[in-house]
Amino acid sequence: MGRGMTEPLFTADAYLRDCAARVVAHHERGVILDRTVMYARSGGQPGDTGTLRWDGGEAAVAEAVKGEGGVVLHTLAPAAAMPPAGAEVTVTLDWDRRHRHMRMHTTMHLLCVVFPGIYATGNQIGVEKSRLDFDLPDPPPAAWITERLNELIAADHPVSSTCITEAELDANPAMVRTLSVQPPRGAGRIRLVRIGPEEAPVDLQPCGGTHVRSTAEIGRVEVTKLESKGKQNRRINFILSPFPALAGEGRGGGEPLPAQRTGG
């Protein structure tokens, strides 16, 4: 059963909501496609959910997860029909869920800006709430963190990505801000997510996840609770405002956000 890597379309464009793909193989844990818009669970970000549709059938994707050798496994809901090997399918995201993950994930990177030089020791992204743990024995009050985060969000910093070599990362180990999640190696290239302009970024760190394209798109956030999880480990819990910003309120010149994007 020949399998190649699944092309991760979300890496180049996190705003693609659907795409055409071909079923490469079946696996006991799910369906392997040649390409996908679904992010596979990794680094504290849950895998995407959605739907596979093909001629004569459809199936709900319970979650996209990582397989071996760069494969994305689309795990199906119990008793769901399996698209035939070789079939052409349309992959459609649960976009609202994904977009909340993107807003949460970029907020986590901004928390690293709030605490420069402090390592994150754990994280979990969720739809309703998220948390980031820091090696931080004496954190400031939740209200102060909330205010600082919302100042960074309101500044409407652009969010983009670039790549460096593994050797370049080895020469700049301070770029890695997390102790619990290390950048994947072996491909020779490391993806970096940049917040702010290229010449003077607010934050620059390795990350394979999906993000919004400007901080203003996150909308307001609130730090709801600080927890002690050890002698020095502190957990910062936060939630999103129910109303995300529109691009017209920041970067994007008035285009409603998020715009409909498809992968063809």
Side-chain angles (χ1 to χ4, degrees), residues 186-261:
R189 305 287 289 174
I190 301 291
R191 180 176 182 256
L192 302 179
V193 170
R194 178 195 301 115
I195 300 177
E198 183 175 355
E199 63 276 9
V202 173
D203 186 64
L204 183 67
Q205 60 177 292
C207 182
T210 58
H211 290 266
V212 295
R213 54 189 165 209
S214 93
T215 58
E217 189 180 334
I218 296 170
R220 283 192 58 80
V221 301
E222 179 186 354
V223 174
T224 55
K225 184 169 59 172
L226 303 180
E227 298 178 89
S228 177
K229 292 296 179 179
K231 185 176 181 181
Q232 295 195 158
N233 202 45
R234 299 297 179 267
R235 176 164 296 173
I236 300 174
N237 298 273
F238 66 92
I239 61 174
L240 300 172
S241 161
F243 303 109
L246 296 179
E249 296 174 289
R251 198 168 308 279
E255 177 192 3
L257 194 59
Q260 179 73 39
R261 304 285 287 277

Side-chain angles (χ1 to χ4, degrees), residues 17 104 160 181:
R17 301 190 191 192
M104 292 283 196
S160 58
V181 180

Side-chain angles (χ1 to χ4, degrees), residues 62-83:
E63 187 182 19
V65 299
K66 284 190 171 183
E68 296 181 357
V71 161
V72 174
L73 299 173
H74 301 75
T75 65
L76 303 185
M82 188 86 74

Side-chain angles (χ1 to χ4, degrees), residues 78-197:
M82 188 86 74
E88 299 294 324
V89 300
T90 298
V91 188
T92 304
L93 280 177
D94 178 342
W95 170 252
D96 289 344
R97 179 176 180 271
R98 152 71 87 73
H99 190 240
R100 288 186 68 88
H101 289 165
M102 290 162 62
R103 293 166 63 201
M104 292 283 196
H105 202 155
T106 305
T107 301
M108 285 188 171
H109 283 223
L110 292 178
L111 271 171
C112 292
V113 179
V114 174
F115 298 108
I118 307 297
Y119 282 103
T121 56
N123 70 92
Q124 184 59 55
I125 295 169
V127 171
E128 300 300 330
K129 62 181 180 179
S130 297
R131 54 93 172 166
L132 191 58
D133 300 350
F134 282 100
D135 183 9
L136 190 68
D138 189 22
W144 183 90
I145 303 172
T146 295
E147 181 179 2
R148 182 72 182 111
L149 276 174
N150 284 306
E151 287 173 355
L152 289 164
I153 289 167
D156 194 21
H157 295 292
V159 182
S160 58
S161 64
T162 188
C163 287
I164 59 173
T165 65
E166 293 180 2
E168 287 174 312
L169 181 62
D170 290 338
N172 295 276
M175 282 186 177
V176 180
R177 297 298 308 277
T178 62
L179 298 176
S180 59
V181 180
Q182 293 296 308
R185 291 176 177 265
R189 305 287 289 174
I190 301 291
R191 180 176 182 256
L192 302 179
V193 170
R194 178 195 301 115
I195 300 177

Side-chain angles (χ1 to χ4, degrees), residues 34-60:
D34 63 342
R35 63 206 297 256
T36 190
V37 292
M38 291 193 179
Y39 178 81
R41 184 199 326 144
S42 180
Q45 180 173 334
D48 285 326
T49 60
T51 307
L52 302 182
R53 292 185 175 88
W54 63 95
D55 187 18
E58 68 174 70

